[in-house]
Amino acid sequence: MLPCPRSPPTGAPTAYDGRVITITGPSYLDVLMRVPHLAAEGEKVRGQVVRESPGGGAMNTAAWLAREGANVRLVTTRGADSEGDMLAAAC
């Protein structure tokens, strides 16, 4: 279980009466790439990474609730690599 660092500090007044909301589900790393042209059927095209950002239904819901002042915990899976670390830090 990952604590959401954007959750309010303990004792902060919220509309959620201090209850912990637990969100379960997927978290993904969205990768936006620039390519020189659209690939034809069966063609491989090399691209350049423009932006990587955390996403997925559970991650997005947890982040939104935390911004609204809820005390949120996210239960999800992640890789044991730099991308997984990025997801954990973005909660």
Side-chain angles (χ1 to χ4, degrees):
M1 183 167 8
L2 302 173
C4 234
R6 293 189 186 132
S7 292
T10 303
T14 70
Y16 298 96
D17 301 326
R19 290 176 279 176
V20 175
I21 299 173
T22 302
I23 306 293
T24 62
S27 297
Y28 303 108
L29 184 64
D30 297 328
V31 180
L32 178 65
M33 298 185 78
R34 179 170 285 130
V35 294
H37 64 276
L38 294 177
E41 186 175 339
E43 178 186 13
K44 293 182 181 179
V45 178
R46 290 186 183 259
Q48 177 181 4
V49 174
V50 175
R51 182 178 66 215
E52 295 178 331
S53 60
M59 177 73 76
N60 293 341
T61 301
W64 176 76
L65 285 168
R67 281 193 302 271
E68 292 296 313
N71 188 3
V72 180
R73 297 291 178 263
L74 174 63
V75 178
T76 190
T77 57
R78 67 178 184 93
D81 54 14
S82 61
E83 287 85 2
D85 293 342
M86 184 185 299
L87 288 173
C91 178

